[in-house]
């Protein structure tokens, strides 16, 4: 059974909460030059929307069957080379291909070196997206001397961490009501989010247990 976090994950840009500036910047980029032929780096706190934004970006470029999500820790140089060979060819439908590298702070230095080459020659119909936490990005910089050059090949977006709790809480309360799991005022949802360090996924897990029922 799908978790409520996945069930209520935003399916379009208008449903994203708490990240208005990043959404506006991404939409402006798409309108101006598109996402194809680019690598995009999304960094922010856990549970604040990195994967959601990555999937929305992907949806602008490619149909779902041509969007590949990869685990950074298991990504190898040979896999990157195989992806580059595969991505030379367009796809059906929207024509694009997207590769989302989750938890990018787990990249190994040999993989990073291969990515430095691959990201220099991204085809027009391909987009690479990297997601990582703020702390994870710092760790990557400390452990891999090539992480700076990697970041310089990406368009970087920092997700907001301040002033987002109330918007997120309003969304949680609305969805909890739809699921008949609500029984508390808005400020209780705000407190829950702060208890969860603004992680929407963690907050949803606690709501699912019935914690906010009257």
């Amino acid at each position: 059974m799908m978790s409520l976090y996945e069930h209520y994950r935003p399916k379009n840009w208008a449903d994203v909460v708490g990240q208005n500036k990043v959404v506006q910047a991404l939409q402006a980029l798409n309108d101006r030059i598109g996402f194809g032929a680019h690598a995009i780096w999304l960094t922010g706190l856990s549970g604040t929307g990195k994967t959601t934004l990555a999937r929305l970006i992907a949806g602008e470029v490619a149909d779902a069957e041509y969007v590949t999500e990869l685990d950074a820790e298991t990504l190898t140089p040979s896999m990157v080379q195989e992806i580059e060979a595969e991505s030379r060819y367009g796809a059906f439908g929207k024509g694009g291909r997207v590769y989302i590298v989750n938890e990018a702070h787990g990249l190994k230095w040999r993989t990073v070196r291969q990515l430095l080459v691959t990201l220099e020659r991204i085809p027009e119909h391909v987009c690479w997206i990297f997601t990582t936490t703020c702390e994870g990005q710092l760790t990557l910089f400390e452990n891999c001397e090539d992480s700076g050059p990697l970041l310089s090949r990406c368009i970087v977006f920092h997700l907001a961490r301040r002033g987002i709790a109330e918007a997120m809480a309003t969304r949680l309360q609305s969805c909890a009501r739809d699921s008949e799991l609500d029984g508390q005022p808005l400020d209780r949802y705000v407190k829950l989010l702060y208890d969860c360090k603004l992680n929407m996924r963690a907050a949803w897990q606690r709501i699912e247990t019935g914690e906010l029922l009257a």
Side-chain angles (χ1 to χ4, degrees), residues 47-189:
T48 53
K50 298 184 297 297
T51 298
T52 292
L53 290 174
R55 291 177 181 176
L56 290 174
I57 294 167
E60 298 285 351
V61 178
D63 291 321
E65 59 265 40
Y66 296 105
V67 176
T68 304
E69 295 199 28
L70 304 158
D71 179 3
E73 279 203 353
T74 61
L75 187 62
T76 64
S78 61
M79 288 171 64
V80 174
Q81 291 175 326
E82 290 170 5
I83 289 170
E84 184 173 8
E86 169 192 80
S87 65
R88 291 172 187 160
Y89 306 99
F92 293 106
K94 295 177 182 177
R97 295 178 183 269
V98 177
Y99 302 94
I100 300 173
V101 181
N102 293 311
E103 309 295 339
H105 48 273
L107 288 168
K108 304 297 190 294
W109 70 270
R110 290 185 184 277
T111 304
V112 170
R113 289 193 173 183
Q114 182 59 49
L115 283 167
L116 294 182
V117 177
T118 298
L119 298 184
E120 283 287 343
R121 51 195 186 204
I122 306 175
E124 292 291 329
H125 60 278
V126 173
C127 178
W128 283 80
I129 307 170
F130 300 86
T131 71
T132 183
T133 61
C134 309
E135 296 79 7
Q137 180 173 311
L138 291 174
T139 301
L140 180 63
F141 276 108
E142 290 172 359
N143 297 337
C144 179
E145 62 182 15
D146 290 322
S147 57
L150 172 62
L151 209 60
S152 72
R153 286 162 169 76
C154 302
I155 303 173
V156 180
F157 293 92
H158 298 278
L159 274 65
R161 61 165 66 193
R162 296 180 179 176
I164 64 176
E166 187 165 340
M168 294 167 68
T170 301
R171 169 76 172 174
L172 281 174
Q173 186 185 51
S174 175
C175 295
R177 284 175 178 170
D178 287 344
S179 299
E180 300 183 349
L181 288 168
D182 168 61
Q184 300 294 334
L186 183 63
D187 60 358
R188 182 65 184 83
Y189 286 86

